[in-house]
Amino acid sequence: MKEIYCHLSNWHMPHVQCYVVRILWMVPIYAVESWLSLRFKDFSLYLRAFRESYEAYVIYCFLYYLIALIGDEHLLANILRNKPSELGSHPWPFKYCLKRWPMGRAFVNHCKLGTLQYVVLKNILTVLTVILEWNNLYREGDFSPKYGYLYVTTLTNFSQTWALYVLVKFYYAARQELQSFRPVGKFACVKAVVFLTWWQSLAISLLQAGGLIYDISEEWTKDDIGQGLQDWLVCIEMLVAAISHQRAFTYKDYAGQAKDGNGTSGLADAALYKAFLLSTLPRDLFSDLRSIALGRMGGGNGNRIENDQDKSNPGSVSN
């Protein structure tokens, strides 16, 4: 939370820091949700629904964060257009079912769609999970084909794997431009929280299915114990995650980056809540969803946050 406040009160690069703040919110959201789930276990499924929706959003934001570090989508597309075409090829087993991605705008769009599909599908599956639970058809930890847990887990696994794949592919295509920003540590932080915690929950479910986690009372069934164990582990792990995120996404990286000559940007002296709103409202996500619905994905989201802050602060200097 302190690092979030530091970013908002040192709002030097809004078009980059807005994504940093969204990523940093993930740690307190995970920690608070896990604690509340332990305290109010009967409502843990509904609390977890919000967390899982946000974690998918973080993957989307991380891709945009990398794009913003380079500049914007138009600049990135021009850079990628001059890269070797082999960077658009796919490794085994994807190469047997996917065509090579053309370098340039098409490559950027494929990466955006790869993360966006996870946001959309995860939210759909979250709503479906709640509906199935209401009708006693979800049965978390039960891999029987009669219940929804098996299908939700399988779809989530495929969607999450694809989102991770496009992030890795994007990094390898733009690693030279991102090298000075230490992207590996940032990528490891996001991957550890989102992906490893999910695989941890799956491992606990397998322990339940194997009979290693069992009922100890009528109040604490094996499902309650399994979910409680996951929440307890996440509470502990978020302490480590908070330290690593603070180091990887420090506000000091953006100090002095403004171009008005005195080390501050147009938003640095603005009310804190304005910076908070700019970093919180997912206008870019809604814009991409609208573009897909209209069949014209791909052009020019890179300066949206920056343009928004310019409109609200006519005297500000663009980053």
Side-chain angles (χ1 to χ4, degrees):
M1 293 296 291
K2 177 184 176 182
E3 195 64 26
I4 293 174
Y5 175 80
C6 287
H7 274 282
L8 295 176
S9 58
N10 295 274
W11 201 239
H12 300 305
M13 298 181 68
H15 64 293
V16 176
Q17 287 177 277
C18 65
Y19 299 113
V20 176
V21 170
R22 295 172 187 178
I23 293 169
L24 289 174
W25 270 116
M26 179 172 58
V27 174
I29 286 175
Y30 265 63
V32 171
E33 180 276 329
S34 297
W35 183 87
L36 289 174
S37 294
L38 284 171
R39 180 65 180 83
F40 307 102
K41 68 181 183 66
D42 293 337
F43 300 96
S44 63
L45 180 71
Y46 311 108
L47 293 169
R48 194 162 65 253
F50 171 73
R51 186 199 75 185
E52 291 179 349
S53 296
Y54 193 81
E55 74 181 23
Y57 178 54
V58 166
I59 298 301
Y60 170 86
C61 289
F62 186 70
L63 175 65
Y64 268 94
Y65 168 68
L66 296 179
I67 294 174
L69 287 176
I70 295 173
D72 58 44
E73 292 180 33
H74 295 297
L75 175 60
L76 175 61
N78 290 332
I79 292 174
L80 293 177
R81 197 171 289 116
N82 297 318
K83 297 269 187 174
S85 60
E86 289 75 16
L87 290 172
S89 300
H90 302 279
W92 184 92
F94 298 116
K95 65 180 181 180
Y96 296 112
C97 55
L98 295 174
K99 295 181 179 179
R100 177 184 294 177
W101 292 352
M103 300 304 293
R105 168 58 65 182
F107 187 93
V108 177
N109 287 346
H110 280 300
C111 292
K112 289 169 61 178
L113 287 171
T115 56
L116 189 60
Q117 60 81 25
Y118 183 42
V119 178
V120 175
L121 185 60
K122 189 66 175 179
N123 279 275
I124 293 174
L125 292 177
T126 297
V127 173
L128 180 61
T129 297
V130 173
I131 295 174
L132 290 172
E133 181 67 18
W134 283 345
N135 292 278
N136 199 30
L137 293 173
Y138 183 62
R139 299 289 182 90
E140 184 170 8
D142 192 333
F143 288 90
S144 170
K146 296 187 298 183
Y147 301 111
Y149 178 76
L150 172 64
Y151 307 104
V152 171
T153 301
T154 302
L155 288 173
T156 299
N157 186 24
F158 279 111
S159 178
Q160 194 177 81
T161 301
W162 182 251
L164 175 61
Y165 170 72
V166 299
L167 282 179
V168 172
K169 193 165 184 62
F170 179 88
Y171 166 72
Y172 275 103
R175 63 184 181 275
Q176 184 177 355
E177 290 73 24
L178 293 170
Q179 187 174 4
S180 61
F181 300 105
R182 309 185 309 277
V184 176
K186 297 175 172 63
F187 184 80
C189 286
V190 174
K191 178 182 176 181
V193 174
V194 175
F195 295 102
L196 295 186
T197 53
W198 187 85
W199 281 103
Q200 178 177 272
S201 68
L202 182 59
I204 292 174
S205 296
L206 291 174
L207 292 177
Q208 290 178 235
L212 297 177
I213 296 178
Y214 46 84
D215 300 348
I216 60 174
S217 67
E218 293 184 0
E219 183 178 356
W220 283 92
T221 65
K222 65 178 183 179
D223 292 339
D224 295 329
I225 295 172
Q227 187 54 52
L229 177 60
Q230 167 72 355
D231 291 327
W232 179 73
L233 289 172
V234 169
C235 285
I236 296 175
E237 291 160 353
M238 286 307 104
L239 174 61
V240 179
I243 297 173
S244 61
H245 276 67
Q246 186 177 25
R247 291 177 178 273
F249 296 98
T250 175
Y251 76 96
K252 296 177 183 178
D253 287 344
Y254 313 101
Q257 294 295 324
K259 299 179 180 179
D260 62 357
N262 58 12
T264 60
S265 68
L267 277 183
D269 297 323
L272 196 63
Y273 80 93
K274 290 186 178 180
F276 174 77
L277 289 178
L278 283 172
S279 64
T280 303
L281 297 177
R283 297 180 182 179
D284 42 4
L285 175 62
F286 294 144
S287 177
D288 278 346
L289 290 174
R290 183 171 61 251
S291 296
I292 291 176
L294 296 175
R296 48 192 175 99
M297 177 73 173
N301 292 339
N303 294 322
R304 183 181 304 112
I305 298 294
E306 190 173 3
N307 291 338
D308 287 343
Q309 68 107 3
D310 287 341
K311 291 176 182 178
S312 62
N313 296 275
S316 66
V317 178
S318 174
N319 291 301

